[in-house]
Structures are given as structure tokens and as C-alpha cells.
Amino acid sequence: MWNAVFHPWKNMGKVPLSVIFRDTRNVFKKDELGLEIAQIAFPAALALTADPIASLIDTAFIGHIGAVELAAVGVSIAVFNQVSRIAIFPLVSITTSFVAEEDTVGRWTNEVPENEKLEKVLAIDNEMEELIPHVDSMHNSSSRTANNTKNMEFEHERRHIPSASSALVIGGVLGLIQALFLIFSAKSILNIMGVNSGSPMLAPAMQYLTLRSLGAPAVLLSLAMQGVFRGFKDTKTPLYATMLGDVANIILDPILMFVFRLGVSGAAIAHVISQYLISVILLWRLMRKVDLLPPSIKDLQLGRFLRNGSLLLVRVIAVTFCVTLASSLAARLGSTSMAAFQVCLQIWLATSLLADGLAVAGQAILASAFAKKDYDKATATASRVLQLGLVLGLVLSVILLVVLQYASRVFTKDVNVLQLMNLGIPFVAVTQPINALAFVFDGVNFGASDFAYSACSMVLVAIVSILCLFILSSSLGFIGIWIALSIYMSLRTMSGFWRIWTGTGPWSFLRA
């Protein structure tokens, strides 16, 4: 697999970088492609950032309980999120691409019979064009009307999408496995993360992690369903469901934490309730759109999911290990360092995920374009989302540098924690353009179904980044961790440029 992905060194440089950043003057143009990206990206970005923002609100509430509790919850959130990513990220990414491909093929199949009829009618009437010059326009008009009517019927009928059923089955099973794994191994995992038996962080960390693990089935199911909706290029439905769930979380947080005096347990319970609410809403909406009962088990195409999912699983483990290792190294520096790292990391992830909205748009549009072999649209889409990602990153850098100087005290009043946060904030802000491009390149690769390259390149990036984390954290401490994370995101971005620049894999058409 490695040779198949990385062997074409001789092609390096054949594709100019101008292909990636061409027509930059049209980056904000409101043409058909620009509107399509915006309609998918904006709701997706809001939905993706809703959960990290909810976690930030949890963090703000918990920060007023104490620095120890803040650090403890930080470790627990890191564990839960990383285990969830290992379980669900491959499934969501594959589901989005597969559903987009199946939906595109389904629409094509729906249109073909009418087009064939049109060709036959035009062939018969071709000899009469001079006598009846308006016959062609009449046939074209009737054909468009028939196709539009047929497409409207296709939109409103419950579609049979095997990938949607497969995603729900796999998501539900993985959710139960994750819940059981985290509940019964919470203490051991926290010990590995640097929270030892004698640490004051252990008790609140175990309370939060164990209770939040009860919501794992809902989390994985809701994310699997979001992958299905993204494949349909519908990101508004997941946004509405996520917003309702997070509003419930924000309302329940202070009630359970302070009114009922449940502390960190109240924050976990509020989060679990919100996740089940999101899942119920999404399932209700999906059942109205898709026939979720497949004719047979073979129709689920589980083998296809597992083959591609195993590639992305390798990739996600590499990504997860880097971020989790960074959290573990911060925890080993003490509760003060971990508390500061937790706040900076949550801000880093929440803002960077705005670019993931562009990645979702790029993935959905590219998957449809590749399914139709529309390479012009594939190139234009990749260029546009990358340009928008770079602009977004630059804007976020400026905003964070200005805002975080005054907003740090929202999360904690501990002077020592604030001092360390001031050291981490410049890294959080300056790396935003790099982070944005890295996330968008993920969407580009997944839209092209380039799962093998994504996995192999990420393993190489992770190996270098892990070495940097160990070396820099031991020599520079808290700052060293953030320097290593900056190197990690830079390497991810470079690997994305490499694939298109060499014109290999699904991008070989660029060298034609």
C-alpha cells in the first residue's frame, strides 16, 4: 500500500501550485459553485463548532468551581473526545462520501429514461425542423418539465441508500462498545494520562468520564446520521438538531451544577441529556427521508465500509495519539499546566473546526463530481475551498489575538493558570491559517476517496510529531508542547499540498 501511494516521485512538480490557488479574485464570487459551497459550509461549520462551544461553556462553569476540577474535566474530555474520534471519524467521513456517490447515481438513474425518450423524439422530429421550427424548443421544454417533476418526486419519496443503513448499524454498535470500554476502564485510562491515584484530579475526572460515557451511543449515532445528511448536502438539519441539544445543555449546566450541587457530575449529566436529544431529532428527520430497513444484510455493504474504514481508522489513531499525548504531557506538568492547556486546546479546536465546514462542503461536492467524472468541477471546488480556508484562517488569527487578551478571565481567575494561558494564546492564534488548510485538505482527500493516501501520510506525520512532542516538552515544558503541535499541523498541511502538487492518485487528471 505504501509503494502504491508514494512511488511516483518522478511526477513531482508536474502540476503547478497555481492549479490549487487559481482565480483567487473569484474567491468570494457568488456564482453557482460559491453558493453551493456556502449553503453546505455555513450550517456545517456552525454545527461542528456547537459541541466544542458547549464544552467551552462547560469549561467556563467548571472553572469557577476550582482549578483542580477544571484540569480533571480537561483530561476526561480529552479522553472521551479522542476515543470518540477513533470510533466515529472514519465512519462519518466514509458515510458522507458513499451517501453522496449513491445519491448522485440515484439521481442520474432517475433522469436517464427521460433523456433517452427525448433523444428518440428529437431523432424522429429532426426532419421536420425546417417546417416546424419551434418543435425542438417545445420538446426541450416538455422534457425539462418532465425531468423537474420526476426530480421533485425523487426528492419527496423515501430513498433507499444502503450506506445510511450501514452507518446507523455500525454507529450503534460502536457506541455501545465505547460506553462499556470507558466505564470499566476509566481509572486505568486516567492513570495512563498522568492522573495517578494520589492526584486530587482523579475523583472528579472519574466522575465526569464515567457519566459522560453513558452518552457515547447517542454521540456516535448522531454523528453517523450527520454524515448521512452531509452526503445529501443537507447541513441545516444537523445544525438545528445540534443547536437544540446544546441549548438544553447550557440551560441544564448551571441548574444541575449549582442548584442541585452536583458539580462536575451535573455538567456530565447535562451533556448526556443533550446528546440523546440530538439523536432523537436526527433519527426522526432521517426516517422521513430514507428507508432505513435494507432488503437484506448483504445490501448493507458492510465489507466496503470496513475496508475503507480500516484505512481511516489508522489515520485517526495517528491523529488521536498526537493530541492525546499532548494532553497527557500537559497533565504530567501539574494541574495548573493542564488547566491552562485545556482552555487553550478547546479554543484551538473550536475555532479550527470552523474550517471543517468548508471541508464538509468540499467533500460532498467533490464526491459528486468524481462520481460523474466532472474533473473541471472537482478542480474548481478544491481550489475554491482551499482559498476560502486560508482567508478564514487569517481572519481567525487576527480575531483571536485581539479577543483573547481580554477574554481569558472568562475561563478562570487563577493567576497561575492565566499566566500560562498567555503563553499558549499566541500559538493558538498564529496557527489558525495552517490549521484551516489542514482541515480543508482532509475534506478534499475524502471527497476524492483518497483514503489510502490520507492514512499513510498521517502515520508519517504522526511519527515526526510524536518525537517533537517528547523532545520539546522535556526541554521547553508548556511552550514546547505548543511548538510541537504547531509543527504537527504544518506537516498535515504539507502532506495535503504534496498529493495535488505531484498530480498522483485521483488527481492524476491534472497532469493530462
Side-chain angles (χ1 to χ4, degrees), residues 49 78 99 102 107 143 196 280 287 403 428-429 442 485 504 508:
T49 55
V99 169
E102 291 175 8
R107 291 174 187 276
S143 173
N196 300 317
V280 169
M287 290 176 66
V403 172
V428 173
D442 288 346
L485 286 176
T504 53
S508 58

Side-chain angles (χ1 to χ4, degrees), residues 1-9 452-453 456 499 504:
M1 180 174 70
W2 293 84
N3 290 333
V5 173
F6 290 108
H7 81 279
W9 293 82
Y453 178 78
C456 296
R499 189 57 154 175
T504 53

Side-chain angles (χ1 to χ4, degrees), residues 111-428:
E111 294 174 1
V112 164
E114 198 64 41
N115 291 337
E116 291 177 353
K117 292 176 183 178
L118 175 61
E119 290 175 1
K120 292 179 181 179
V121 170
L122 291 177
I124 295 173
D125 292 340
N126 190 45
E127 297 177 357
M128 301 177 64
E129 284 183 354
E130 294 181 358
L131 298 175
I132 312 176
H134 65 281
V135 68
D136 185 64
S137 61
M138 289 176 60
H139 278 298
N140 282 334
S141 176
S142 63
S143 173
R144 283 194 297 270
T145 303
N147 276 334
N148 289 336
T149 303
K150 200 165 186 180
N151 281 328
M152 289 175 64
E153 292 174 356
F154 184 73
E155 284 288 343
H156 289 90
E157 70 181 4
R158 292 174 64 192
R159 282 170 265 178
H160 175 57
I161 306 290
S163 295
S165 304
S166 304
L168 292 186
V169 171
I170 297 173
V173 172
L174 289 177
L176 290 173
I177 293 173
Q178 179 184 334
L180 294 173
F181 171 73
L182 289 177
I183 289 171
F184 289 107
S185 59
K187 186 175 181 179
S188 300
I189 295 173
L190 291 171
N191 288 339
I192 294 172
M193 289 291 292
V195 183
N196 300 317
S197 299
S199 173
M201 293 189 286
L202 183 61
M206 282 194 64
Q207 289 176 16
Y208 189 89
L209 181 58
T210 303
L211 286 172
R212 186 159 173 176
S213 298
L214 296 175
V219 171
L220 270 69
L221 274 174
S222 67
L223 289 173
M225 287 185 281
Q226 286 185 44
V228 175
F229 281 107
R230 290 175 192 173
F232 291 138
K233 301 180 182 178
D234 175 9
T235 52
K236 291 182 180 179
T237 299
L239 171 62
Y240 298 147
T242 304
M243 288 181 63
L244 287 172
D246 286 341
V247 167
N249 185 21
I250 294 168
I251 294 172
L252 289 172
D253 259 343
I255 295 174
L256 295 177
M257 290 174 65
F258 303 116
V259 177
F260 288 96
R261 301 180 182 279
L262 294 176
V264 297
S265 296
I269 294 170
H271 204 89
V272 169
I273 292 172
S274 71
Q275 291 300 322
Y276 277 100
L277 177 60
I278 293 171
S279 292
V280 169
I281 295 171
L282 287 175
L283 184 60
W284 170 62
R285 294 293 300 174
L286 189 60
M287 290 176 66
R288 298 179 61 182
K289 197 167 189 175
V290 178
D291 184 5
L292 295 176
L293 294 177
S296 66
I297 296 178
K298 291 182 179 179
D299 202 49
L300 288 175
Q301 303 179 12
L302 296 178
R304 186 186 182 204
F305 266 82
L306 294 175
R307 282 193 304 273
N308 292 281
S310 61
L311 292 171
L312 283 190
L313 180 61
V314 172
R315 183 185 186 280
V316 173
I317 290 174
V319 173
T320 298
F321 193 85
C322 290
V323 178
T324 306
L325 176 62
S327 298
S328 176
L329 292 171
R332 293 174 190 278
L333 295 175
S335 59
T336 300
S337 295
M338 183 59 210
F341 182 80
Q342 159 65 7
V343 175
C344 290
L345 183 66
Q346 289 299 319
I347 296 170
W348 195 57
L349 293 175
T351 52
S352 297
L353 282 173
L354 286 169
D356 228 359
L358 289 171
V360 170
Q363 180 181 1
I365 298 171
L366 281 167
S368 296
F370 275 102
K372 294 185 289 186
K373 300 187 184 304
D374 187 351
Y375 297 129
D376 288 337
K377 186 171 184 179
T379 306
T381 301
S383 298
R384 188 73 66 89
V385 293
L386 287 168
Q387 293 166 25
L388 289 169
L390 181 59
V391 172
L392 174 63
L394 293 171
V395 171
L396 287 173
S397 285
V398 175
I399 293 174
L400 289 177
L401 281 172
V402 175
V403 172
L404 291 180
Q405 292 181 13
Y406 307 99
S408 301
R409 292 184 178 275
V410 172
F411 302 100
T412 182
K413 295 180 180 178
D414 189 294
V415 177
N416 294 324
V417 174
L418 288 170
Q419 287 179 347
L420 282 177
M421 282 179 60
N422 289 333
L423 296 176
I425 285 171
F427 291 99
V428 173

Side-chain angles (χ1 to χ4, degrees), residues 60-70 257-258 262-264:
F61 281 124
I62 294 166
H64 290 281
I65 298 176
V68 172
E69 286 78 7
L70 178 60
M257 290 174 65
F258 303 116
L262 294 176
V264 297

